[in-house]
Amino acid sequence: MAYLLAIDQGTTSSRAMLFRGDLSVAARAQQEYPQHFPASGWVEHEPEDIWTSTLATCRAAMREGNVHAGDIAAIGISNQRETVVVWDRKTGQAIHRAIVWQDRRTADVCARLQADGSEPLIAARTGLIADPYFSATKVAWILDHVSGARERAMRGELLFGTVDCYLLWRLTGGAVHATDATNASRTLLFNIHTGAWDDDLLKLLRVPRALLPQVRDCAADFGATLPELFDGPIAIRGIAGDQQAATVGQACFAPGMMKSTYGTGCFALLNTGETAVASKNKLLTTIAYQLNGRRTYALEGSIFVAGSAVQWLRDGLHLIKTAHDSDDLASQADETQSVYLIPAFVGLGAPYWNPRVRGALFGLTRNTGPAELAHAALESVCYQTRDLWEAMRADWPDLAAKDVSLRVDGGMSVSDWTMQRLADILKAIVDRPMIPETTALGAAYLAGLAANVCPPPETFAAQWQLDRRFTPAMDDATRARKLHGWSQAVKGLLVSDRDG
Protein backbone atom coordinates (compact mmCIF):
# COMPACT_ATOMS: atom_id res chain seq x y z
CA MET A 1 0.00 0.00 0.00
CA ALA A 2 1.29 3.46 -0.90
CA TYR A 3 1.29 6.02 1.91
CA LEU A 4 1.23 9.81 1.88
CA LEU A 5 2.96 11.97 4.49
CA ALA A 6 1.45 15.37 5.23
CA ILE A 7 3.43 18.12 6.96
CA ASP A 8 1.09 20.61 8.64
CA GLN A 9 3.36 23.33 9.98
CA GLY A 10 1.25 25.67 12.11
CA THR A 11 1.64 28.81 14.18
CA THR A 12 1.95 27.10 17.55
CA SER A 13 2.88 23.54 16.62
CA SER A 14 4.15 21.28 13.88
CA ARG A 15 2.15 18.21 12.94
CA ALA A 16 2.80 15.26 10.67
CA MET A 17 0.05 12.91 9.53
CA LEU A 18 0.50 9.66 7.68
CA PHE A 19 -2.34 8.73 5.33
CA ARG A 20 -2.99 5.47 3.54
CA GLY A 21 -3.59 5.56 -0.19
CA ASP A 22 -7.35 5.71 0.43
CA LEU A 23 -6.72 8.83 2.60
CA SER A 24 -7.59 7.16 5.86
CA VAL A 25 -5.37 8.18 8.77
CA ALA A 26 -2.59 5.74 9.64
CA ALA A 27 -0.60 7.77 12.19
CA ARG A 28 -0.10 11.27 13.52
CA ALA A 29 2.38 13.22 15.63
CA GLN A 30 2.38 16.79 16.93
CA GLN A 31 4.87 18.98 18.77
CA GLU A 32 4.45 22.49 20.12
CA TYR A 33 7.30 24.96 19.88
CA PRO A 34 7.97 28.35 21.52
CA GLN A 35 6.48 31.68 20.47
CA HIS A 36 8.44 34.88 20.99
CA PHE A 37 6.88 38.28 21.69
CA PRO A 38 9.76 40.80 21.82
CA ALA A 39 7.49 43.86 21.77
CA SER A 40 3.80 44.77 21.74
CA GLY A 41 2.26 43.43 18.55
CA TRP A 42 5.45 41.58 17.57
CA VAL A 43 5.41 37.79 17.08
CA GLU A 44 8.44 35.70 16.11
CA HIS A 45 9.55 32.08 15.76
CA GLU A 46 13.02 30.56 15.70
CA PRO A 47 13.33 29.00 12.20
CA GLU A 48 15.38 26.17 13.67
CA ASP A 49 12.46 25.33 16.01
CA ILE A 50 10.18 25.13 12.98
CA TRP A 51 12.62 22.80 11.23
CA THR A 52 13.46 20.50 14.13
CA SER A 53 9.83 20.11 15.22
CA THR A 54 8.80 19.32 11.65
CA LEU A 55 11.55 16.73 11.27
CA ALA A 56 10.74 15.18 14.66
CA THR A 57 7.02 14.83 13.96
CA CYS A 58 7.60 13.30 10.52
CA ARG A 59 9.90 10.69 12.03
CA ALA A 60 7.48 10.04 14.91
CA ALA A 61 4.51 9.52 12.55
CA MET A 62 6.55 7.12 10.44
CA ARG A 63 7.55 5.15 13.55
CA GLU A 64 3.97 5.02 14.82
CA GLY A 65 2.75 3.79 11.44
CA ASN A 66 5.68 1.38 11.08
CA VAL A 67 6.32 2.88 7.66
CA HIS A 68 9.63 3.40 5.89
CA ALA A 69 10.66 5.94 3.28
CA GLY A 70 10.17 3.44 0.48
CA ASP A 71 6.52 2.96 1.50
CA ILE A 72 5.68 6.66 1.09
CA ALA A 73 4.63 7.78 -2.39
CA ALA A 74 4.95 11.49 -1.66
CA ILE A 75 5.05 14.27 0.92
CA GLY A 76 2.62 17.17 0.92
CA ILE A 77 3.32 20.40 2.82
CA SER A 78 0.87 22.89 4.29
CA ASN A 79 2.06 25.84 6.32
CA GLN A 80 1.22 28.93 8.32
CA ARG A 81 0.99 31.54 5.58
CA GLU A 82 2.63 34.98 5.33
CA THR A 83 5.25 34.12 7.98
CA VAL A 84 8.67 34.93 6.51
CA VAL A 85 12.19 33.56 6.79
CA VAL A 86 15.31 35.06 5.19
CA TRP A 87 18.35 32.80 5.13
CA ASP A 88 21.87 32.46 3.77
CA ARG A 89 21.95 30.76 0.37
CA LYS A 90 25.12 28.80 1.19
CA THR A 91 24.73 27.88 4.85
CA GLY A 92 20.96 27.81 5.28
CA GLN A 93 21.33 29.90 8.42
CA ALA A 94 18.44 32.31 9.00
CA ILE A 95 19.62 35.90 9.45
CA HIS A 96 16.72 36.79 11.78
CA ARG A 97 13.90 35.05 13.58
CA ALA A 98 10.89 34.28 11.41
CA ILE A 99 8.40 37.15 11.53
CA VAL A 100 4.96 35.62 12.01
CA TRP A 101 1.79 36.46 10.10
CA GLN A 102 0.27 37.92 13.27
CA ASP A 103 3.11 40.42 13.66
CA ARG A 104 2.14 44.12 13.39
CA ARG A 105 5.53 45.86 13.45
CA THR A 106 5.16 47.22 9.91
CA ALA A 107 1.84 48.98 10.56
CA ASP A 108 3.43 52.41 9.97
CA VAL A 109 4.88 51.28 6.64
CA CYS A 110 1.48 50.04 5.54
CA ALA A 111 -0.16 53.28 6.67
CA ARG A 112 2.29 55.21 4.45
CA LEU A 113 1.45 52.96 1.50
CA GLN A 114 -2.21 53.76 2.04
CA ALA A 115 -1.53 57.48 2.46
CA ASP A 116 0.57 57.77 -0.71
CA GLY A 117 -2.11 56.09 -2.83
CA SER A 118 -0.35 52.78 -3.44
CA GLU A 119 -3.11 50.53 -2.17
CA PRO A 120 -5.21 50.51 -5.39
CA LEU A 121 -2.20 49.13 -7.29
CA ILE A 122 -1.59 46.52 -4.61
CA ALA A 123 -5.26 45.48 -4.59
CA ALA A 124 -5.50 45.32 -8.38
CA ARG A 125 -2.45 43.10 -8.77
CA THR A 126 -2.61 40.94 -5.63
CA GLY A 127 -6.22 41.02 -4.39
CA LEU A 128 -4.84 42.04 -0.98
CA ILE A 129 -4.54 45.24 1.02
CA ALA A 130 -1.60 47.13 2.51
CA ASP A 131 -1.52 45.43 5.90
CA PRO A 132 1.30 44.09 8.13
CA TYR A 133 -0.34 40.65 7.89
CA PHE A 134 1.28 39.97 4.53
CA SER A 135 4.86 39.00 3.80
CA ALA A 136 6.52 41.77 1.79
CA THR A 137 6.81 44.48 4.44
CA LYS A 138 8.18 41.89 6.88
CA VAL A 139 10.90 40.93 4.40
CA ALA A 140 11.81 44.58 3.84
CA TRP A 141 11.97 45.10 7.62
CA ILE A 142 14.48 42.26 8.00
CA LEU A 143 16.61 43.62 5.17
CA ASP A 144 16.57 47.08 6.74
CA HIS A 145 17.27 46.00 10.33
CA VAL A 146 19.89 43.26 9.96
CA SER A 147 23.29 44.79 9.28
CA GLY A 148 24.37 44.35 5.66
CA ALA A 149 21.32 42.27 4.76
CA ARG A 150 20.00 44.48 1.96
CA GLU A 151 23.40 44.59 0.26
CA ARG A 152 23.77 40.83 0.60
CA ALA A 153 20.29 40.33 -0.84
CA MET A 154 21.16 42.46 -3.86
CA ARG A 155 24.26 40.30 -4.43
CA GLY A 156 22.13 37.15 -4.42
CA GLU A 157 23.58 35.79 -1.17
CA LEU A 158 20.23 35.53 0.64
CA LEU A 159 16.95 33.74 -0.01
CA PHE A 160 13.43 34.53 1.14
CA GLY A 161 10.61 32.12 1.65
CA THR A 162 7.37 31.53 3.44
CA VAL A 163 7.52 28.54 5.79
CA ASP A 164 6.71 25.99 3.08
CA CYS A 165 9.58 27.29 0.96
CA TYR A 166 11.99 27.24 3.90
CA LEU A 167 11.04 23.65 4.80
CA LEU A 168 11.32 22.55 1.18
CA TRP A 169 14.80 24.06 0.96
CA ARG A 170 15.86 22.25 4.14
CA LEU A 171 14.22 18.94 3.14
CA THR A 172 15.97 18.94 -0.24
CA GLY A 173 19.31 20.07 1.15
CA GLY A 174 19.09 23.37 -0.69
CA ALA A 175 18.42 21.74 -4.07
CA VAL A 176 14.98 23.36 -4.51
CA HIS A 177 14.00 26.97 -3.79
CA ALA A 178 10.33 27.02 -4.73
CA THR A 179 6.84 27.70 -3.45
CA ASP A 180 3.33 27.23 -4.78
CA ALA A 181 0.86 29.74 -6.19
CA THR A 182 -1.26 29.94 -3.02
CA ASN A 183 1.64 30.94 -0.79
CA ALA A 184 3.02 33.31 -3.41
CA SER A 185 -0.38 34.98 -3.57
CA ARG A 186 -0.07 36.03 0.10
CA THR A 187 3.18 37.99 -0.20
CA LEU A 188 1.93 41.30 -1.74
CA LEU A 189 4.47 40.62 -4.51
CA PHE A 190 2.61 38.18 -6.77
CA ASN A 191 0.21 39.12 -9.56
CA ILE A 192 -2.68 36.69 -9.11
CA HIS A 193 -3.99 37.41 -12.62
CA THR A 194 -0.77 36.75 -14.56
CA GLY A 195 0.60 34.16 -12.13
CA ALA A 196 4.01 35.82 -11.82
CA TRP A 197 6.10 37.98 -9.49
CA ASP A 198 5.33 41.63 -10.21
CA ASP A 199 8.24 44.02 -10.89
CA ASP A 200 6.22 47.12 -9.96
CA LEU A 201 5.37 45.64 -6.56
CA LEU A 202 8.93 44.46 -5.97
CA LYS A 203 10.11 48.02 -6.54
CA LEU A 204 7.35 49.59 -4.45
CA LEU A 205 7.92 47.24 -1.50
CA ARG A 206 11.71 47.19 -1.85
CA VAL A 207 12.20 43.43 -2.16
CA PRO A 208 15.03 42.30 -4.49
CA ARG A 209 13.98 39.73 -7.10
CA ALA A 210 17.11 37.67 -6.34
CA LEU A 211 15.50 36.61 -3.04
CA LEU A 212 12.44 35.05 -4.59
CA PRO A 213 11.61 31.37 -5.13
CA GLN A 214 10.14 29.73 -8.24
CA VAL A 215 6.34 29.42 -8.21
CA ARG A 216 4.73 26.09 -9.13
CA ASP A 217 1.30 24.42 -9.10
CA CYS A 218 -0.04 23.09 -5.80
CA ALA A 219 0.36 19.53 -7.10
CA ALA A 220 3.76 19.41 -8.76
CA ASP A 221 7.29 18.03 -8.63
CA PHE A 222 9.08 19.76 -5.75
CA GLY A 223 12.08 17.43 -5.69
CA ALA A 224 12.89 14.83 -3.04
CA THR A 225 14.13 14.76 0.54
CA LEU A 226 17.75 14.10 1.40
CA PRO A 227 18.12 10.32 1.90
CA GLU A 228 19.67 10.73 5.35
CA LEU A 229 16.62 12.50 6.79
CA PHE A 230 14.30 9.48 6.63
CA ASP A 231 16.65 6.61 5.70
CA GLY A 232 15.78 7.05 2.06
CA PRO A 233 14.56 9.77 -0.31
CA ILE A 234 10.86 10.68 -0.43
CA ALA A 235 9.30 12.64 -3.28
CA ILE A 236 7.69 15.99 -2.42
CA ARG A 237 4.68 16.54 -4.66
CA GLY A 238 2.28 18.96 -2.97
CA ILE A 239 2.34 22.41 -1.34
CA ALA A 240 -0.43 24.79 -0.32
CA GLY A 241 -0.90 27.43 2.35
CA ASP A 242 -2.82 26.05 5.31
CA GLN A 243 -6.15 27.68 4.49
CA GLN A 244 -6.01 26.68 0.84
CA ALA A 245 -5.00 23.15 1.84
CA ALA A 246 -8.04 23.04 4.12
CA THR A 247 -10.22 24.22 1.23
CA VAL A 248 -8.93 21.29 -0.81
CA GLY A 249 -9.31 18.92 2.14
CA GLN A 250 -12.92 20.04 2.54
CA ALA A 251 -13.44 19.30 -1.19
CA CYS A 252 -14.70 22.84 -1.82
CA PHE A 253 -14.07 22.54 -5.54
CA ALA A 254 -17.32 24.08 -6.79
CA PRO A 255 -17.98 27.84 -6.93
CA GLY A 256 -20.12 28.90 -3.97
CA MET A 257 -18.74 26.29 -1.58
CA MET A 258 -17.39 27.75 1.65
CA LYS A 259 -15.18 26.51 4.48
CA SER A 260 -13.94 28.05 7.72
CA THR A 261 -10.90 26.83 9.61
CA TYR A 262 -10.60 27.45 13.36
CA GLY A 263 -7.01 27.22 14.46
CA THR A 264 -4.92 29.96 16.03
CA GLY A 265 -6.94 32.34 13.88
CA CYS A 266 -10.08 31.82 11.80
CA PHE A 267 -10.04 31.86 8.02
CA ALA A 268 -13.12 31.57 5.83
CA LEU A 269 -12.75 30.93 2.09
CA LEU A 270 -15.48 31.06 -0.54
CA ASN A 271 -14.70 29.40 -3.87
CA THR A 272 -15.42 31.84 -6.74
CA GLY A 273 -14.16 29.61 -9.55
CA GLU A 274 -12.16 31.17 -12.36
CA THR A 275 -13.41 34.65 -11.43
CA ALA A 276 -11.20 36.77 -9.19
CA VAL A 277 -13.94 38.75 -7.42
CA ALA A 278 -12.83 42.20 -6.25
CA SER A 279 -14.34 42.66 -2.81
CA LYS A 280 -16.23 45.83 -1.92
CA ASN A 281 -16.40 44.79 1.72
CA LYS A 282 -12.74 44.51 2.73
CA LEU A 283 -12.38 40.83 2.00
CA LEU A 284 -9.32 39.46 0.23
CA THR A 285 -9.18 38.01 -3.26
CA THR A 286 -6.78 35.10 -3.30
CA ILE A 287 -5.81 31.94 -5.17
CA ALA A 288 -7.68 28.97 -3.72
CA TYR A 289 -5.54 26.44 -5.59
CA GLN A 290 -3.71 26.03 -8.89
CA LEU A 291 -3.78 22.72 -10.75
CA ASN A 292 -2.39 22.03 -14.21
CA GLY A 293 -1.60 25.72 -14.61
CA ARG A 294 -5.22 26.79 -14.01
CA ARG A 295 -5.98 29.09 -11.10
CA THR A 296 -9.15 28.85 -9.01
CA TYR A 297 -9.90 31.94 -6.93
CA ALA A 298 -11.56 32.59 -3.59
CA LEU A 299 -12.81 35.38 -1.40
CA GLU A 300 -11.24 35.17 2.02
CA GLY A 301 -11.94 36.65 5.40
CA SER A 302 -9.11 36.51 7.93
CA ILE A 303 -9.60 36.68 11.70
CA PHE A 304 -6.39 36.88 13.68
CA VAL A 305 -7.60 35.41 16.98
CA ALA A 306 -9.77 32.32 17.38
CA GLY A 307 -8.17 29.34 19.09
CA SER A 308 -5.55 31.64 20.59
CA ALA A 309 -8.36 33.20 22.65
CA VAL A 310 -8.80 29.79 24.29
CA GLN A 311 -5.04 29.63 24.83
CA TRP A 312 -5.35 33.00 26.56
CA LEU A 313 -7.98 31.55 28.90
CA ARG A 314 -5.62 28.66 29.64
CA ASP A 315 -2.17 30.23 29.73
CA GLY A 316 -2.91 33.89 30.46
CA LEU A 317 -5.82 33.79 32.87
CA HIS A 318 -5.38 30.17 34.07
CA LEU A 319 -9.15 29.67 34.02
CA ILE A 320 -8.90 26.24 32.39
CA LYS A 321 -6.32 23.44 32.36
CA THR A 322 -6.93 22.23 28.80
CA ALA A 323 -8.59 23.77 25.75
CA HIS A 324 -11.37 21.17 25.99
CA ASP A 325 -12.35 22.56 29.41
CA SER A 326 -13.61 25.76 27.75
CA ASP A 327 -16.79 24.00 26.56
CA ASP A 328 -17.85 22.93 30.05
CA LEU A 329 -16.99 26.31 31.54
CA ALA A 330 -18.85 28.28 28.86
CA SER A 331 -21.94 26.10 29.27
CA GLN A 332 -22.13 27.18 32.93
CA ALA A 333 -22.30 30.88 32.06
CA ASP A 334 -25.22 33.10 33.01
CA GLU A 335 -26.92 33.63 29.63
CA THR A 336 -28.65 36.78 30.88
CA GLN A 337 -25.29 38.59 30.99
CA SER A 338 -24.21 40.28 27.77
CA VAL A 339 -20.43 40.04 28.00
CA TYR A 340 -18.49 40.58 24.78
CA LEU A 341 -14.81 39.88 24.24
CA ILE A 342 -13.24 41.48 21.19
CA PRO A 343 -9.95 39.55 21.00
CA ALA A 344 -7.97 42.17 19.08
CA PHE A 345 -4.73 41.08 20.75
CA VAL A 346 -2.82 41.89 17.56
CA GLY A 347 -5.36 44.22 15.95
CA LEU A 348 -8.50 43.40 13.97
CA GLY A 349 -8.50 41.55 10.66
CA ALA A 350 -11.36 41.39 8.16
CA PRO A 351 -13.57 43.21 7.59
CA TYR A 352 -12.14 46.00 9.78
CA TRP A 353 -8.39 45.82 9.08
CA ASN A 354 -7.25 47.93 12.00
CA PRO A 355 -3.75 46.91 13.21
CA ARG A 356 -3.65 49.48 16.03
CA VAL A 357 -6.58 48.56 18.28
CA ARG A 358 -6.19 46.01 21.05
CA GLY A 359 -8.56 43.63 22.77
CA ALA A 360 -11.34 44.67 25.11
CA LEU A 361 -14.15 43.29 27.27
CA PHE A 362 -17.57 44.92 27.27
CA GLY A 363 -20.58 44.40 29.53
CA LEU A 364 -18.81 43.29 32.70
CA THR A 365 -20.84 43.21 35.90
CA ARG A 366 -20.02 42.32 39.49
CA ASN A 367 -21.38 38.85 38.77
CA THR A 368 -19.14 38.24 35.78
CA GLY A 369 -16.84 35.30 36.47
CA PRO A 370 -14.71 32.66 34.71
CA ALA A 371 -17.71 31.00 33.05
CA GLU A 372 -18.86 34.26 31.45
CA LEU A 373 -15.32 35.01 30.21
CA ALA A 374 -15.07 31.56 28.61
CA HIS A 375 -18.52 32.06 27.09
CA ALA A 376 -17.46 35.42 25.65
CA ALA A 377 -14.21 34.01 24.26
CA LEU A 378 -15.91 31.17 22.38
CA GLU A 379 -18.79 33.35 21.24
CA SER A 380 -16.37 35.99 19.88
CA VAL A 381 -15.29 33.51 17.22
CA CYS A 382 -18.91 33.09 16.13
CA TYR A 383 -19.52 36.84 15.92
CA GLN A 384 -16.34 37.39 13.92
CA THR A 385 -17.37 34.62 11.52
CA ARG A 386 -20.76 36.29 11.13
CA ASP A 387 -18.99 39.54 10.12
CA LEU A 388 -17.15 37.62 7.38
CA TRP A 389 -20.32 35.77 6.34
CA GLU A 390 -22.21 39.03 5.82
CA ALA A 391 -19.33 40.53 3.81
CA MET A 392 -19.22 37.45 1.57
CA ARG A 393 -22.97 37.55 1.02
CA ALA A 394 -22.62 41.16 -0.11
CA ASP A 395 -19.72 40.40 -2.47
CA TRP A 396 -21.13 37.16 -3.88
CA PRO A 397 -24.88 37.54 -4.55
CA ASP A 398 -25.31 33.80 -5.21
CA LEU A 399 -24.42 33.17 -1.56
CA ALA A 400 -27.24 35.44 -0.43
CA ALA A 401 -29.72 33.93 -2.87
CA LYS A 402 -29.68 30.39 -1.50
CA ASP A 403 -29.14 28.39 1.66
CA VAL A 404 -25.44 27.59 1.95
CA SER A 405 -23.79 25.36 4.51
CA LEU A 406 -20.46 26.15 6.08
CA ARG A 407 -17.87 23.37 6.28
CA VAL A 408 -15.71 23.75 9.39
CA ASP A 409 -12.40 22.29 10.50
CA GLY A 410 -9.46 22.98 12.77
CA GLY A 411 -8.95 22.50 16.49
CA MET A 412 -11.95 24.54 17.63
CA SER A 413 -14.32 22.67 15.34
CA VAL A 414 -14.29 19.73 17.78
CA SER A 415 -16.07 21.98 20.30
CA ASP A 416 -19.75 21.07 20.02
CA TRP A 417 -20.74 24.11 22.08
CA THR A 418 -18.90 26.52 19.76
CA MET A 419 -20.14 24.90 16.55
CA GLN A 420 -23.75 24.95 17.75
CA ARG A 421 -23.43 28.59 18.74
CA LEU A 422 -21.85 29.29 15.33
CA ALA A 423 -24.88 27.78 13.57
CA ASP A 424 -27.14 29.86 15.82
CA ILE A 425 -25.31 33.15 15.16
CA LEU A 426 -25.03 32.53 11.40
CA LYS A 427 -28.56 31.15 11.11
CA ALA A 428 -27.02 28.57 8.79
CA ILE A 429 -26.08 24.90 8.71
CA VAL A 430 -22.59 24.08 9.94
CA ASP A 431 -21.08 20.79 8.74
CA ARG A 432 -18.13 19.14 10.48
CA PRO A 433 -16.26 16.48 8.47
CA MET A 434 -15.26 13.02 9.60
CA ILE A 435 -11.58 13.99 9.42
CA PRO A 436 -11.21 17.33 11.25
CA GLU A 437 -7.54 17.75 10.24
CA THR A 438 -8.52 18.84 6.74
CA THR A 439 -5.42 21.00 6.31
CA ALA A 440 -3.20 17.92 6.49
CA LEU A 441 -5.71 15.96 4.42
CA GLY A 442 -5.58 18.61 1.69
CA ALA A 443 -1.79 18.57 1.63
CA ALA A 444 -1.79 14.77 1.40
CA TYR A 445 -4.37 14.82 -1.38
CA LEU A 446 -2.37 17.32 -3.47
CA ALA A 447 0.76 15.19 -3.10
CA GLY A 448 -1.22 12.06 -3.95
CA LEU A 449 -2.78 13.73 -6.97
CA ALA A 450 0.64 14.58 -8.40
CA ALA A 451 1.95 11.11 -7.51
CA ASN A 452 -1.01 9.38 -9.24
CA VAL A 453 -2.16 7.86 -5.94
CA CYS A 454 -5.32 9.94 -5.41
CA PRO A 455 -8.37 10.30 -7.68
CA PRO A 456 -9.33 13.49 -9.56
CA PRO A 457 -11.07 16.29 -7.59
CA GLU A 458 -14.63 15.33 -8.53
CA THR A 459 -14.12 11.77 -7.25
CA PHE A 460 -12.43 13.01 -4.07
CA ALA A 461 -15.35 15.42 -3.48
CA ALA A 462 -17.85 12.56 -3.74
CA GLN A 463 -15.99 10.75 -0.96
CA TRP A 464 -16.25 13.64 1.55
CA GLN A 465 -17.84 12.35 4.78
CA LEU A 466 -19.94 14.22 7.33
CA ASP A 467 -19.29 13.73 11.05
CA ARG A 468 -21.99 15.99 12.46
CA ARG A 469 -24.39 18.66 11.20
CA PHE A 470 -25.30 21.61 13.43
CA THR A 471 -28.57 23.39 12.64
CA PRO A 472 -29.60 26.79 14.05
CA ALA A 473 -31.82 26.61 17.14
CA MET A 474 -31.66 30.19 18.46
CA ASP A 475 -34.77 32.36 18.08
CA ASP A 476 -34.52 35.43 15.85
CA ALA A 477 -35.07 37.93 18.66
CA THR A 478 -32.20 36.55 20.75
CA ARG A 479 -29.92 36.45 17.73
CA ALA A 480 -30.75 40.04 16.80
CA ARG A 481 -30.12 41.21 20.37
CA LYS A 482 -26.77 39.47 20.52
CA LEU A 483 -25.63 40.73 17.14
CA HIS A 484 -26.59 44.30 18.06
CA GLY A 485 -24.54 44.04 21.25
CA TRP A 486 -21.54 42.75 19.31
CA SER A 487 -21.86 45.55 16.77
CA GLN A 488 -21.96 48.17 19.50
CA ALA A 489 -18.94 46.66 21.22
CA VAL A 490 -16.89 46.71 17.99
CA LYS A 491 -17.89 50.32 17.36
CA GLY A 492 -16.79 51.21 20.89
CA LEU A 493 -13.40 49.58 20.34
CA LEU A 494 -12.85 51.29 17.00
CA VAL A 495 -13.66 54.67 18.55
CA SER A 496 -10.84 54.04 21.01
CA ASP A 497 -8.36 54.19 18.12
CA ARG A 498 -7.57 57.89 18.22
CA ASP A 499 -5.49 57.61 15.07
CA GLY A 500 -8.23 55.88 13.11
Side-chain angles (χ1 to χ4, degrees), residues 20-190:
R20 302 178 184 89
D22 62 0
L23 294 175
S24 61
V25 178
R28 54 168 62 85
Q30 188 168 352
Q31 181 177 312
E32 291 191 1
Y33 61 93
Q35 319 296 300
H36 302 276
F37 309 97
S40 176
W42 292 28
V43 190
E44 297 178 348
H45 295 155
E46 286 289 355
E48 202 64 24
D49 289 340
I50 293 174
W51 167 244
T52 56
S53 61
T54 296
L55 197 58
T57 53
C58 286
R59 290 169 173 169
M62 291 172 66
R63 285 195 303 271
E64 181 186 328
N66 194 26
V67 167
H68 304 285
D71 303 319
I72 299 175
I75 289 174
I77 301 172
S78 72
N79 58 287
Q80 50 168 311
R81 304 173 305 171
E82 298 95 15
T83 297
V84 304
V85 185
V86 178
W87 67 93
D88 185 287
R89 181 188 291 271
K90 290 184 178 180
T91 68
Q93 184 69 37
I95 67 169
H96 191 276
R97 280 179 178 164
I99 301 181
V100 180
W101 57 271
Q102 295 168 310
D103 191 282
R104 315 305 286 169
R105 75 186 65 188
T106 61
D108 290 345
V109 174
C110 294
R112 287 197 297 271
L113 289 169
Q114 294 168 357
D116 69 16
S118 297
E119 194 161 53
L121 171 66
I122 291 171
R125 303 280 177 90
T126 70
L128 310 177
I129 64 172
D131 189 85
Y133 175 32
F134 306 106
S135 304
T137 58
K138 304 179 196 297
V139 178
W141 189 96
I142 291 175
L143 297 183
D144 289 338
H145 287 79
V146 175
S147 179
R150 185 165 290 279
E151 292 75 16
R152 294 184 65 201
M154 297 296 290
R155 293 195 299 266
E157 298 175 9
L158 302 178
L159 298 176
F160 147 69
T162 42
V163 170
D164 62 298
C165 180
Y166 174 69
L167 290 177
L168 178 65
W169 197 89
R170 295 291 297 263
L171 288 166
T172 61
V176 183
H177 183 221
T179 188
D180 83 295
T182 68
N183 279 293
S185 75
R186 312 295 295 190
T187 62
L188 286 183
L189 302 170
F190 190 74

